[in-house]
Amino acid sequence: MYFDSHAHLGEDCFAQDFVHIVENMRTAGVSGMMEIGFDGPSSYHAVELANRYDWIWAAVGSHPDDAAQVDEARIEEYRALCEDPRVKAIGEIGLDYHYEDPPRDVQQRAFRMQMELAQKLSLPVVIHEREAHEDGLRIISDFPDVTGVFHCFSGSPEMAQELLKLGWYLGFDGPVTYKNARRAPEVAAVTPLDRMLIETDSPYMTPVPYRGKRNDSGYVRLVAEKLAEWKGVAPEEMARLTTENGKRLFRIS
């Protein structure tokens, strides 16, 4: 059974065949999934979805692209949503300097506000960090009591080791199956089995051999199989371990 630690089933591309997709996920052995918010509306939808299916849980928060909308009122909205027991994390939050829109200072302010919320609520966080390694590490170091997962980790093995020492988990998804995945095997090599999470980030980053098509949690097994190959364990063992890791991080009984 698989635990998809990062998905976005609320995206419009799932609207037409949502029920069918969910049924296929269960048939494919997905026993748990985190529906991840990235702005206000998607966070509300994540909580609604988690209350509809007992094997789905929610994270609420604003992605760096939504950083300009993060103010005290938005933080209060997220705080209220976190009163629902189906909410298990703050996310996805973080920094993305690829386009620098919103500006870096706006992203950093939103990131800090949401890290502070996670600290006050004693919740883990789901981090989106792209081309912002130095600032990302600097900000999380200011919140030593907060840990979580660096989703779709794109840093170096050295950065991975630094995060692992601080108690963080690393998320691996579809790109591990791509032919040009050079850094991912090096990161996987230094990551202990008890700190790995598998994820789809569906509908994005679909693994081979379905690359180019819409992704969904039914394909998370392909990520597990590639990691199992790299780590020298059976795919079933990787599925079991990453499920345990996801439930441990998000405190799911």
Side-chain angles (χ1 to χ4, degrees):
M1 304 298 277
Y2 302 96
F3 186 92
D4 183 357
S5 62
H6 195 115
H8 302 286
L9 284 187
E11 292 284 61
D12 290 344
C13 63
F14 290 116
Q16 294 281 336
D17 57 348
F18 179 81
V19 174
H20 177 69
I21 286 294
V22 171
E23 290 174 351
N24 281 352
M25 286 163 51
R26 298 294 280 165
T27 302
V30 179
S31 60
M33 192 199 87
M34 287 292 295
E35 175 72 9
I36 310 295
F38 52 84
D39 60 11
S42 64
S43 294
Y44 278 97
H45 185 270
V47 178
E48 187 274 330
L49 193 64
N51 277 282
R52 200 189 320 169
Y53 298 95
D54 63 5
W55 51 280
I56 295 178
W57 291 268
V60 300
S62 283
H63 183 284
D65 289 351
D66 190 55
Q69 307 306 315
V70 177
D71 55 15
E72 292 298 339
R74 175 64 64 83
I75 292 296
E76 189 54 41
E77 289 181 37
Y78 291 152
R79 187 193 311 277
L81 286 174
C82 288
E83 294 178 4
D84 191 304
R86 303 298 296 177
V87 177
K88 297 298 184 180
I90 302 297
E92 65 187 281
I93 64 176
L95 303 171
D96 192 324
Y97 290 172
H98 186 68
Y99 297 111
E100 297 200 39
D101 181 25
R104 294 187 181 192
D105 62 325
V106 176
Q107 292 189 38
Q108 291 176 24
R109 179 176 181 273
F111 188 14
R112 287 184 178 278
M113 291 177 72
Q114 294 178 97
M115 286 289 286
E116 183 177 357
L117 177 63
Q119 179 175 265
K120 289 179 178 177
L121 299 179
S122 298
L123 285 173
V125 293
V126 178
I127 300 291
H128 172 106
E129 184 272 304
R130 186 184 188 195
E131 299 176 19
H133 304 325
E134 184 177 344
D135 284 345
L137 286 172
R138 177 173 53 83
I139 290 174
I140 67 167
S141 69
D142 291 338
F143 298 88
D145 296 331
V146 180
T147 57
V149 55
F150 267 63
H151 136 72
C152 191
F153 181 73
S154 60
S156 66
E158 293 75 21
M159 180 181 176
Q161 289 175 314
E162 188 170 351
L163 289 169
L164 292 165
K165 289 177 183 177
L166 295 172
W168 288 78
Y169 291 70
L170 302 181
F172 297 85
D173 39 22
V176 304
T177 67
Y178 300 169
K179 289 182 179 179
N180 63 350
R182 297 184 180 89
R183 183 175 278 182
E186 298 174 353
V187 171
V190 303
T191 306
L193 288 168
D194 65 354
R195 294 292 187 80
M196 288 182 155
L197 295 183
I198 56 174
E199 53 184 45
T200 57
D201 198 22
S202 55
Y204 313 106
M205 295 192 293
T206 313
V208 172
Y210 304 102
R211 188 177 184 181
K213 299 181 179 180
R214 181 187 65 182
N215 199 7
D216 68 63
S217 294
Y219 295 143
V220 75
R221 64 176 178 80
L222 298 169
V223 179
E225 289 169 3
K226 178 56 70 172
L227 290 179
E229 175 187 327
W230 289 346
K231 299 296 281 187
V233 300
E236 297 80 9
E237 180 69 356
M238 182 59 70
R240 182 185 68 81
L241 289 168
T242 51
T243 296
E244 291 178 357
N245 296 345
K247 291 185 175 180
R248 183 189 319 115
L249 172 62
F250 296 115
R251 301 165 198 164
I252 296 169
S253 60

